[in-house]
Amino acid sequence: MFVITGNRLLDGGVVFLAPALAWVEDIQLARRYESDKSARDIVADLGEVVVSLDVIPVACDDEGVVQPLRLRERIRVGGPTVNPFADIHLERTFTGRPS
């Protein structure tokens, strides 16, 4: 089983193609394809608001929960593994006048 994924052009967020060709952030709502080829045929017509399109293999457990098979995709589904803003200090102290 396969789903189509990519990154939203506006903010880089991970998205998945849902029924009716809508983009969603939840892999559980993604449209599932039985074959890699049938998913790749759809990818050829996409890409206006999403970049880095890819067809990824997934599996469903006994409860119907979709789980990506590749580690890279499991990380993407779970979100960032680090806080990219942890070292950015937004408070500034001005000690002098601008020149």
Side-chain angles (χ1 to χ4, degrees):
M1 187 174 321
F2 300 87
V3 299
I4 299 172
T5 185
N7 293 89
R8 197 172 31 236
L9 191 57
L10 183 62
D11 62 2
V14 177
V15 291
F16 302 91
L17 188 65
L21 301 181
W23 292 104
V24 296
E25 294 179 357
D26 186 351
I27 193 171
Q28 304 306 317
L29 302 175
R31 181 176 177 184
R32 300 171 203 160
Y33 297 87
E34 290 300 320
S35 74
D36 180 73
K37 182 181 179 341
S38 62
R40 293 205 180 275
D41 289 344
I42 300 295
V43 168
D45 296 329
L46 300 174
E48 295 175 8
V49 296
V50 175
V51 295
S52 301
L53 292 169
D54 196 10
V55 174
I56 61 168
V58 296
C60 288
D61 65 13
D62 294 337
E63 297 175 3
V65 176
V66 177
Q67 182 72 20
L69 296 179
R70 297 188 305 210
L71 176 61
R72 175 184 185 271
E73 302 307 329
R74 288 195 303 263
I75 292 169
R76 289 178 77 233
V77 166
T81 57
V82 297
N83 181 355
F85 303 107
D87 294 330
I88 298 176
H89 303 287
L90 299 177
E91 295 180 23
R92 292 186 176 187
T93 304
F94 294 98
T95 57
R97 297 176 62 141
S99 43

